């Protein structure tokens, strides 16, 4: 198989590529910085400097679209929100157009999204059947998904990855969360009652491969562990895994002052269940947060 991947130098993509290569797949990565990507990914992948020169995706068996500006790195000014949207929407729209313009299109288009699709929904238990709550993260994700679904046809199935917080040894959100705990000032954020959907990186990678392999699967999938936890439980478990205290609660007012509108990412939450993944027969390796965190410390 020939796999085309965007976001190949990111947390998920850079760990997914070795799994694909181990299967004997040919992997091509779309990147804006070929030199940097070559240094990080090595010589075993093909690098495309963009999609502008492509007229179709004939010869590509599957597309995995993980590209996007990190959502929590900067305050959400109007300019930054536009950047967050365009970094996802433009490449997804282009990929869908190339798929639709292909004589022999890829069999599957696996495209990123996030649990932010649902918005801040409090204690509501959510599955893929539930609508989103109207706010910025929902607007971003809903349009992102709609652009990907434009590639859906009898010959191309589309799978959408509504991903929670990915736990990994290095990189991702957890690397930022660790620092205050290591300094002894970690603890719950705000009232700590908000749910925090999470998934171990291994389960994330295995689930993507599951969607790649199972030709009857399409539509949205919540890429989260079966047991969501509240922020205060996550903080206590992380503190225990790091052998550090976890009682320094950060007031919501301070977080809003620091992060502005983007504070919803940590003060809001979703109680999301991976209903469609489990119904499809996928088996999670990491169910319990304490075990998952111990593994990635």
């Amino acid at each position: 198989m020939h796999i085309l991947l965007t976001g190949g130098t990111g947390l998920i993509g850079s760990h997914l590529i070795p799994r694909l290569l181990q299967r004997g797949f040919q992997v091509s990565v779309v990147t804006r910085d070929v030199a940097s990507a070559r240094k990080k990914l090595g010589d075993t992948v093909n690098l495309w400097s963009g999609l502008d020169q492509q007229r179709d995706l004939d010869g590509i068996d599957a597309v995995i679209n993980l590209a996007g500006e990190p959502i929590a790195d900067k305050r959400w000014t109007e300019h930054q929100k536009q950047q967050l949207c365009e970094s996802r929407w433009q490449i997804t729209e282009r990929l869908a157009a190339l798929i639709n313009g292909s004589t022999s299109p890829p069999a599957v288009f696996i495209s990123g999204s996030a649990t932010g699709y649902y918005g801040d929904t409090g204690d509501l238990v959510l599955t893929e059947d539930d609508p989103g709550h109207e706010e910025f993260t929902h607007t971003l994700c809903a349009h992102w998904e709609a652009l990907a679904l434009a590639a859906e046809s009898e010959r191309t199935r589309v799978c959408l990855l509504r991903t929670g917080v990915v736990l990994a040894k290095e990189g991702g959100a957890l690397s930022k969360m660790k620092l205050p705990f290591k300094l002894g000032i970690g603890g719950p954020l705000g009232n700590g009652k908000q749910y925090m959907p999470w998934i171990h990186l291994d389960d994330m990678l295995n689930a993507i491969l599951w969607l790649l392999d199972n030709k009857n699967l399409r539509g949205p999938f919540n890429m989260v562990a079966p047991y969501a936890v509240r922020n205060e439980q996550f903080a206590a478990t992380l503190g225990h895994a790091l052998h550090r205290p976890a009682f320094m609660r950060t007031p919501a007012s301070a977080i809003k002052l620091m992060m502005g509108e983007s504070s919803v990412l940590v003060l809001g939450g979703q109680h999301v269940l991976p209903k469609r993944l489990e119904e499809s027969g996928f088996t999670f390796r990491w169910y319990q947060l304490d075990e998952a965190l111990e593994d990635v410390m």
Side-chain angles (χ1 to χ4, degrees):
M1 290 183 68
H2 186 178
I3 312 294
L4 180 65
L5 182 70
T6 72
T9 58
L11 173 64
I12 298 170
S14 62
H15 286 84
L16 180 62
I17 287 171
R19 302 275 189 106
L20 297 171
L21 294 174
Q22 286 170 7
R23 290 179 163 215
F25 295 161
Q26 180 182 353
V27 178
S28 295
V29 174
V30 181
T31 177
R32 291 176 296 180
D33 189 339
V34 172
S36 177
R38 178 65 67 201
K39 185 176 180 180
K40 183 167 186 176
L41 302 177
D43 298 323
T44 54
V45 301
N46 306 313
L47 296 179
W48 295 12
S49 59
L51 296 171
D52 292 342
Q53 303 303 314
Q54 304 298 318
R55 295 184 178 275
D56 55 56
L57 293 182
D58 290 335
I60 300 294
D61 297 293
V63 178
I64 303 174
N65 177 31
L66 304 173
E69 175 98 357
I71 197 165
D73 280 6
K74 299 177 183 178
R75 287 177 69 93
W76 286 355
T77 62
E78 289 305 311
H79 174 73
Q80 179 62 11
K81 288 198 286 187
Q82 183 178 356
Q83 289 291 106
L84 292 172
C85 291
E86 289 182 353
S87 67
R88 291 159 172 78
W89 294 353
Q90 290 181 353
I91 195 166
T92 303
E93 185 175 28
R94 179 62 178 153
L95 288 168
L98 288 171
I99 291 171
N100 288 328
S102 301
T103 302
S104 178
V108 60
F109 181 24
I110 298 174
S111 191
S113 186
T115 56
Y117 171 89
Y118 301 104
D120 179 11
T121 46
D123 289 348
L124 290 176
V125 179
L126 304 166
T127 71
E128 294 87 351
D129 299 325
D130 290 296
H133 184 265
E134 289 297 334
E135 55 189 73
F136 173 66
T137 57
H138 172 72
T139 300
L140 185 155
C141 292
H143 190 57
W144 192 9
E145 293 184 5
L147 292 170
L149 288 169
E152 182 89 44
S153 71
E154 291 184 0
R155 295 188 294 173
T156 302
R157 59 190 176 90
V158 176
C159 298
L160 305 168
L161 310 175
R162 292 180 181 168
T163 307
V165 175
V166 180
L167 305 182
K169 290 182 183 296
E170 296 180 2
L174 186 59
S175 63
K176 297 179 181 179
M177 296 178 192
K178 288 179 183 178
L179 181 58
F181 286 86
K182 289 181 177 180
L183 296 174
I185 55 173
L189 302 177
N191 64 22
K193 302 300 182 184
Q194 66 275 31
Y195 275 96
M196 185 175 170
W198 62 275
I199 186 169
H200 190 292
L201 178 61
D202 284 344
D203 280 336
M204 182 71 195
L205 301 177
N206 289 334
I208 292 174
L209 295 174
W210 178 261
L211 297 177
L212 185 68
D213 292 340
N214 286 270
K215 298 179 180 180
N216 61 320
L217 300 181
R218 61 180 67 216
F221 292 86
N222 291 332
M223 308 296 275
V224 298
Y227 299 109
V229 298
R230 297 184 188 272
N231 178 266
E232 58 187 359
Q233 181 183 349
F234 187 94
T237 308
L238 178 56
H240 184 267
L242 290 169
H243 308 290
R244 293 291 188 273
F247 58 84
M248 295 290 289
R249 187 180 301 272
T250 304
S253 57
I255 295 171
K256 290 177 181 178
L257 184 63
M258 289 186 293
M259 298 181 66
E261 185 183 353
S262 65
S263 62
V264 70
L265 295 173
V266 295
L267 295 178
Q270 310 88 24
H271 188 176
V272 182
L273 301 180
K275 177 185 176 185
R276 297 194 67 229
L277 266 181
E278 292 195 304
E279 287 181 346
S280 74
F282 179 76
T283 301
F284 284 85
R285 164 66 179 85
W286 302 98
Y287 281 85
Q288 301 299 329
L289 178 63
D290 57 346
E291 296 178 359
L293 286 175
E294 288 288 351
D295 182 68
V296 299
M297 287 301 111

